[in-house]
Amino acid sequence: MSGQHFVLGLDLGGTKMAVATATADGTLLQSQRLPTNAAEGADQAFSRALACGQALARETAASTGSALASVGLSTMGLTREHDVLFAPNVPGWDKLTIPSRLRAAFPGIGLGIENDVKAATRAELRWGALQGCR
């Protein structure tokens, strides 16, 4: 796979966080699941997810000889630059500055942030039970 690119995905929820790398065509390369530990607050959960994502990206780059092309993050609520609306699952999630922290963790890398419900719907439309629906 040398010379190719891979993507990093982070799916952050109220009970678990899933982090994975994959090829551009969706072939899974590495993955890890972490408990959110919601009672301990948003900052620790988000920090652990970012650290895990950075580690998986480094490991994937080393094992494949390829480079990280982009990072996609899916999470509860509506993410804005300085806060998150409608995210009561984890104390403090509403105060996270997700975009700036993601940019700082992955400088110069293309980023995408999506609401988890919208991301799941897009996945179902593309690969799941909603294929072919409009």
PDB file of all heavy atoms in Angstrom, residues 13-41:
ATOM      1  N   GLY A  13     -19.519   8.792  21.128  1.00  0.00           N
ATOM      2  CA  GLY A  13     -20.861   8.723  21.680  1.00  0.00           C
ATOM      3  C   GLY A  13     -20.868   8.778  23.197  1.00  0.00           C
ATOM      4  O   GLY A  13     -19.824   8.887  23.840  1.00  0.00           O
ATOM      5  N   GLY A  14     -22.051   8.666  23.737  1.00  0.00           N
ATOM      6  CA  GLY A  14     -22.243   8.778  25.175  1.00  0.00           C
ATOM      7  C   GLY A  14     -21.753   7.585  25.978  1.00  0.00           C
ATOM      8  O   GLY A  14     -21.465   7.719  27.166  1.00  0.00           O
ATOM      9  N   THR A  15     -21.630   6.416  25.351  1.00  0.00           N
ATOM     10  CA  THR A  15     -21.164   5.234  26.071  1.00  0.00           C
ATOM     11  C   THR A  15     -19.863   4.658  25.526  1.00  0.00           C
ATOM     12  O   THR A  15     -19.079   4.097  26.271  1.00  0.00           O
ATOM     13  CB  THR A  15     -22.221   4.108  26.061  1.00  0.00           C
ATOM     14  OG1 THR A  15     -22.539   3.782  24.716  1.00  0.00           O
ATOM     15  CG2 THR A  15     -23.478   4.535  26.797  1.00  0.00           C
ATOM     16  N   LYS A  16     -19.642   4.810  24.203  1.00  0.00           N
ATOM     17  CA  LYS A  16     -18.413   4.283  23.620  1.00  0.00           C
ATOM     18  C   LYS A  16     -17.900   5.225  22.547  1.00  0.00           C
ATOM     19  O   LYS A  16     -18.633   6.033  21.980  1.00  0.00           O
ATOM     20  CB  LYS A  16     -18.613   2.884  23.044  1.00  0.00           C
ATOM     21  CG  LYS A  16     -19.594   2.817  21.893  1.00  0.00           C
ATOM     22  CD  LYS A  16     -18.914   2.530  20.586  1.00  0.00           C
ATOM     23  CE  LYS A  16     -19.929   2.440  19.471  1.00  0.00           C
ATOM     24  NZ  LYS A  16     -19.643   3.327  18.367  1.00  0.00           N
ATOM     25  N   MET A  17     -16.595   5.084  22.279  1.00  0.00           N
ATOM     26  CA  MET A  17     -15.954   5.843  21.212  1.00  0.00           C
ATOM     27  C   MET A  17     -15.217   4.840  20.339  1.00  0.00           C
ATOM     28  O   MET A  17     -14.468   4.008  20.846  1.00  0.00           O
ATOM     29  CB  MET A  17     -14.984   6.869  21.801  1.00  0.00           C
ATOM     30  CG  MET A  17     -15.663   7.852  22.758  1.00  0.00           C
ATOM     31  SD  MET A  17     -14.571   9.109  23.449  1.00  0.00           S
ATOM     32  CE  MET A  17     -13.452   8.131  24.453  1.00  0.00           C
ATOM     33  N   ALA A  18     -15.446   4.914  19.049  1.00  0.00           N
ATOM     34  CA  ALA A  18     -14.782   4.025  18.106  1.00  0.00           C
ATOM     35  C   ALA A  18     -13.836   4.855  17.246  1.00  0.00           C
ATOM     36  O   ALA A  18     -14.198   5.931  16.760  1.00  0.00           O
ATOM     37  CB  ALA A  18     -15.805   3.316  17.222  1.00  0.00           C
ATOM     38  N   VAL A  19     -12.619   4.355  17.081  1.00  0.00           N
ATOM     39  CA  VAL A  19     -11.591   5.048  16.312  1.00  0.00           C
ATOM     40  C   VAL A  19     -11.029   4.028  15.319  1.00  0.00           C
ATOM     41  O   VAL A  19     -10.751   2.889  15.700  1.00  0.00           O
ATOM     42  CB  VAL A  19     -10.476   5.583  17.248  1.00  0.00           C
ATOM     43  CG1 VAL A  19      -9.428   6.330  16.467  1.00  0.00           C
ATOM     44  CG2 VAL A  19     -11.073   6.448  18.356  1.00  0.00           C
ATOM     45  N   ALA A  20     -10.870   4.432  14.058  1.00  0.00           N
ATOM     46  CA  ALA A  20     -10.397   3.478  13.058  1.00  0.00           C
ATOM     47  C   ALA A  20      -9.687   4.173  11.920  1.00  0.00           C
ATOM     48  O   ALA A  20      -9.950   5.342  11.626  1.00  0.00           O
ATOM     49  CB  ALA A  20     -11.571   2.675  12.505  1.00  0.00           C
ATOM     50  N   THR A  21      -8.795   3.437  11.270  1.00  0.00           N
ATOM     51  CA  THR A  21      -8.196   3.875  10.017  1.00  0.00           C
ATOM     52  C   THR A  21      -8.681   2.932   8.921  1.00  0.00           C
ATOM     53  O   THR A  21      -8.965   1.754   9.173  1.00  0.00           O
ATOM     54  CB  THR A  21      -6.655   3.877  10.074  1.00  0.00           C
ATOM     55  OG1 THR A  21      -6.182   2.581  10.450  1.00  0.00           O
ATOM     56  CG2 THR A  21      -6.141   4.921  11.060  1.00  0.00           C
ATOM     57  N   ALA A  22      -8.770   3.482   7.708  1.00  0.00           N
ATOM     58  CA  ALA A  22      -9.253   2.694   6.574  1.00  0.00           C
ATOM     59  C   ALA A  22      -8.668   3.251   5.293  1.00  0.00           C
ATOM     60  O   ALA A  22      -8.240   4.412   5.233  1.00  0.00           O
ATOM     61  CB  ALA A  22     -10.780   2.746   6.503  1.00  0.00           C
ATOM     62  N   THR A  23      -8.666   2.427   4.259  1.00  0.00           N
ATOM     63  CA  THR A  23      -8.264   2.889   2.940  1.00  0.00           C
ATOM     64  C   THR A  23      -9.372   3.766   2.374  1.00  0.00           C
ATOM     65  O   THR A  23     -10.500   3.791   2.901  1.00  0.00           O
ATOM     66  CB  THR A  23      -8.010   1.708   1.989  1.00  0.00           C
ATOM     67  OG1 THR A  23      -9.237   0.978   1.840  1.00  0.00           O
ATOM     68  CG2 THR A  23      -6.918   0.797   2.510  1.00  0.00           C
ATOM     69  N   ALA A  24      -9.084   4.438   1.293  1.00  0.00           N
ATOM     70  CA  ALA A  24     -10.075   5.308   0.660  1.00  0.00           C
ATOM     71  C   ALA A  24     -11.316   4.541   0.204  1.00  0.00           C
ATOM     72  O   ALA A  24     -12.414   5.100   0.173  1.00  0.00           O
ATOM     73  CB  ALA A  24      -9.451   6.054  -0.509  1.00  0.00           C
ATOM     74  N   ASP A  25     -11.170   3.251  -0.107  1.00  0.00           N
ATOM     75  CA  ASP A  25     -12.331   2.467  -0.534  1.00  0.00           C
ATOM     76  C   ASP A  25     -13.090   1.841   0.636  1.00  0.00           C
ATOM     77  O   ASP A  25     -14.045   1.107   0.445  1.00  0.00           O
ATOM     78  CB  ASP A  25     -11.925   1.395  -1.551  1.00  0.00           C
ATOM     79  CG  ASP A  25     -11.081   0.274  -0.959  1.00  0.00           C
ATOM     80  OD1 ASP A  25     -10.790   0.292   0.258  1.00  0.00           O
ATOM     81  OD2 ASP A  25     -10.691  -0.628  -1.725  1.00  0.00           O
ATOM     82  N   GLY A  26     -12.649   2.134   1.867  1.00  0.00           N
ATOM     83  CA  GLY A  26     -13.368   1.661   3.043  1.00  0.00           C
ATOM     84  C   GLY A  26     -12.832   0.392   3.673  1.00  0.00           C
ATOM     85  O   GLY A  26     -13.420  -0.109   4.632  1.00  0.00           O
ATOM     86  N   THR A  27     -11.730  -0.126   3.200  1.00  0.00           N
ATOM     87  CA  THR A  27     -11.138  -1.320   3.812  1.00  0.00           C
ATOM     88  C   THR A  27     -10.546  -0.950   5.165  1.00  0.00           C
ATOM     89  O   THR A  27      -9.671  -0.089   5.252  1.00  0.00           O
ATOM     90  CB  THR A  27     -10.046  -1.914   2.904  1.00  0.00           C
ATOM     91  OG1 THR A  27     -10.618  -2.232   1.635  1.00  0.00           O
ATOM     92  CG2 THR A  27      -9.435  -3.158   3.531  1.00  0.00           C
ATOM     93  N   LEU A  28     -11.027  -1.600   6.210  1.00  0.00           N
ATOM     94  CA  LEU A  28     -10.572  -1.318   7.564  1.00  0.00           C
ATOM     95  C   LEU A  28      -9.118  -1.730   7.734  1.00  0.00           C
ATOM     96  O   LEU A  28      -8.728  -2.838   7.366  1.00  0.00           O
ATOM     97  CB  LEU A  28     -11.448  -2.068   8.569  1.00  0.00           C
ATOM     98  CG  LEU A  28     -11.190  -1.808  10.047  1.00  0.00           C
ATOM     99  CD1 LEU A  28     -11.490  -0.365  10.412  1.00  0.00           C
ATOM    100  CD2 LEU A  28     -12.020  -2.761  10.889  1.00  0.00           C
ATOM    101  N   LEU A  29      -8.315  -0.844   8.303  1.00  0.00           N
ATOM    102  CA  LEU A  29      -6.908  -1.141   8.556  1.00  0.00           C
ATOM    103  C   LEU A  29      -6.665  -1.430  10.035  1.00  0.00           C
ATOM    104  O   LEU A  29      -6.109  -2.449  10.389  1.00  0.00           O
ATOM    105  CB  LEU A  29      -6.025   0.027   8.094  1.00  0.00           C
ATOM    106  CG  LEU A  29      -6.090   0.331   6.597  1.00  0.00           C
ATOM    107  CD1 LEU A  29      -5.368   1.626   6.279  1.00  0.00           C
ATOM    108  CD2 LEU A  29      -5.512  -0.832   5.798  1.00  0.00           C
ATOM    109  N   GLN A  30      -7.088  -0.521  10.900  1.00  0.00           N
ATOM    110  CA  GLN A  30      -6.934  -0.704  12.347  1.00  0.00           C
ATOM    111  C   GLN A  30      -8.136  -0.076  13.029  1.00  0.00           C
ATOM    112  O   GLN A  30      -8.712   0.881  12.520  1.00  0.00           O
ATOM    113  CB  GLN A  30      -5.666  -0.019  12.858  1.00  0.00           C
ATOM    114  CG  GLN A  30      -4.387  -0.630  12.340  1.00  0.00           C
ATOM    115  CD  GLN A  30      -3.175  -0.114  13.099  1.00  0.00           C
ATOM    116  OE1 GLN A  30      -3.184   0.024  14.312  1.00  0.00           O
ATOM    117  NE2 GLN A  30      -2.109   0.171  12.363  1.00  0.00           N
ATOM    118  N   SER A  31      -8.480  -0.595  14.204  1.00  0.00           N
ATOM    119  CA  SER A  31      -9.590   0.002  14.948  1.00  0.00           C
ATOM    120  C   SER A  31      -9.421  -0.233  16.441  1.00  0.00           C
ATOM    121  O   SER A  31      -8.718  -1.160  16.856  1.00  0.00           O
ATOM    122  CB  SER A  31     -10.931  -0.566  14.484  1.00  0.00           C
ATOM    123  OG  SER A  31     -11.034  -1.935  14.816  1.00  0.00           O
ATOM    124  N   GLN A  32     -10.067   0.623  17.191  1.00  0.00           N
ATOM    125  CA  GLN A  32     -10.053   0.499  18.644  1.00  0.00           C
ATOM    126  C   GLN A  32     -11.341   1.097  19.197  1.00  0.00           C
ATOM    127  O   GLN A  32     -11.840   2.098  18.685  1.00  0.00           O
ATOM    128  CB  GLN A  32      -8.842   1.227  19.221  1.00  0.00           C
ATOM    129  CG  GLN A  32      -8.598   0.909  20.667  1.00  0.00           C
ATOM    130  CD  GLN A  32      -7.203   1.348  21.113  1.00  0.00           C
ATOM    131  OE1 GLN A  32      -6.410   1.865  20.348  1.00  0.00           O
ATOM    132  NE2 GLN A  32      -6.923   1.139  22.375  1.00  0.00           N
ATOM    133  N   ARG A  33     -11.869   0.471  20.255  1.00  0.00           N
ATOM    134  CA  ARG A  33     -13.052   0.993  20.950  1.00  0.00           C
ATOM    135  C   ARG A  33     -12.646   1.385  22.356  1.00  0.00           C
ATOM    136  O   ARG A  33     -11.914   0.656  23.021  1.00  0.00           O
ATOM    137  CB  ARG A  33     -14.149  -0.073  21.018  1.00  0.00           C
ATOM    138  CG  ARG A  33     -14.816  -0.324  19.692  1.00  0.00           C
ATOM    139  CD  ARG A  33     -15.815  -1.448  19.805  1.00  0.00           C
ATOM    140  NE  ARG A  33     -16.932  -1.059  20.650  1.00  0.00           N
ATOM    141  CZ  ARG A  33     -18.195  -1.078  20.270  1.00  0.00           C
ATOM    142  NH1 ARG A  33     -18.500  -1.494  19.064  1.00  0.00           N
ATOM    143  NH2 ARG A  33     -19.156  -0.726  21.089  1.00  0.00           N
ATOM    144  N   LEU A  34     -13.156   2.523  22.788  1.00  0.00           N
ATOM    145  CA  LEU A  34     -12.866   3.030  24.124  1.00  0.00           C
ATOM    146  C   LEU A  34     -14.174   3.340  24.833  1.00  0.00           C
ATOM    147  O   LEU A  34     -15.113   3.824  24.199  1.00  0.00           O
ATOM    148  CB  LEU A  34     -12.064   4.340  24.038  1.00  0.00           C
ATOM    149  CG  LEU A  34     -10.830   4.385  23.173  1.00  0.00           C
ATOM    150  CD1 LEU A  34     -10.400   5.818  22.941  1.00  0.00           C
ATOM    151  CD2 LEU A  34      -9.729   3.597  23.835  1.00  0.00           C
ATOM    152  N   PRO A  35     -14.251   3.125  26.133  1.00  0.00           N
ATOM    153  CA  PRO A  35     -15.436   3.578  26.851  1.00  0.00           C
ATOM    154  C   PRO A  35     -15.380   5.101  26.968  1.00  0.00           C
ATOM    155  O   PRO A  35     -14.301   5.686  27.104  1.00  0.00           O
ATOM    156  CB  PRO A  35     -15.296   2.921  28.223  1.00  0.00           C
ATOM    157  CG  PRO A  35     -13.818   2.732  28.397  1.00  0.00           C
ATOM    158  CD  PRO A  35     -13.279   2.475  27.013  1.00  0.00           C
ATOM    159  N   THR A  36     -16.531   5.739  26.896  1.00  0.00           N
ATOM    160  CA  THR A  36     -16.576   7.192  27.025  1.00  0.00           C
ATOM    161  C   THR A  36     -16.305   7.619  28.467  1.00  0.00           C
ATOM    162  O   THR A  36     -15.684   8.649  28.702  1.00  0.00           O
ATOM    163  CB  THR A  36     -17.942   7.726  26.562  1.00  0.00           C
ATOM    164  OG1 THR A  36     -18.157   7.299  25.209  1.00  0.00           O
ATOM    165  CG2 THR A  36     -18.016   9.235  26.638  1.00  0.00           C
ATOM    166  N   ASN A  37     -16.763   6.806  29.423  1.00  0.00           N
ATOM    167  CA  ASN A  37     -16.660   7.172  30.843  1.00  0.00           C
ATOM    168  C   ASN A  37     -17.304   8.527  31.063  1.00  0.00           C
ATOM    169  O   ASN A  37     -16.703   9.454  31.615  1.00  0.00           O
ATOM    170  CB  ASN A  37     -15.210   7.166  31.327  1.00  0.00           C
ATOM    171  CG  ASN A  37     -14.557   5.812  31.222  1.00  0.00           C
ATOM    172  OD1 ASN A  37     -15.226   4.780  31.225  1.00  0.00           O
ATOM    173  ND2 ASN A  37     -13.253   5.789  31.115  1.00  0.00           N
ATOM    174  N   ALA A  38     -18.555   8.645  30.625  1.00  0.00           N
ATOM    175  CA  ALA A  38     -19.276   9.919  30.623  1.00  0.00           C
ATOM    176  C   ALA A  38     -19.303  10.609  31.982  1.00  0.00           C
ATOM    177  O   ALA A  38     -19.206  11.832  32.055  1.00  0.00           O
ATOM    178  CB  ALA A  38     -20.704   9.701  30.127  1.00  0.00           C
ATOM    179  N   ALA A  39     -19.405   9.855  33.049  1.00  0.00           N
ATOM    180  CA  ALA A  39     -19.473  10.461  34.382  1.00  0.00           C
ATOM    181  C   ALA A  39     -18.205  11.240  34.732  1.00  0.00           C
ATOM    182  O   ALA A  39     -18.224  12.120  35.594  1.00  0.00           O
ATOM    183  CB  ALA A  39     -19.734   9.391  35.434  1.00  0.00           C
ATOM    184  N   GLU A  40     -17.104  10.944  34.037  1.00  0.00           N
ATOM    185  CA  GLU A  40     -15.843  11.635  34.285  1.00  0.00           C
ATOM    186  C   GLU A  40     -15.699  12.907  33.461  1.00  0.00           C
ATOM    187  O   GLU A  40     -14.689  13.600  33.548  1.00  0.00           O
ATOM    188  CB  GLU A  40     -14.673  10.689  34.025  1.00  0.00           C
ATOM    189  CG  GLU A  40     -14.654   9.507  34.974  1.00  0.00           C
ATOM    190  CD  GLU A  40     -13.586   8.490  34.629  1.00  0.00           C
ATOM    191  OE1 GLU A  40     -12.575   8.865  33.997  1.00  0.00           O
ATOM    192  OE2 GLU A  40     -13.779   7.313  34.969  1.00  0.00           O
ATOM    193  N   GLY A  41     -16.705  13.215  32.633  1.00  0.00           N
ATOM    194  CA  GLY A  41     -16.716  14.461  31.889  1.00  0.00           C
ATOM    195  C   GLY A  41     -16.230  14.366  30.458  1.00  0.00           C
ATOM    196  O   GLY A  41     -15.612  13.384  30.045  1.00  0.00           O
TER     197      GLY A  41
END
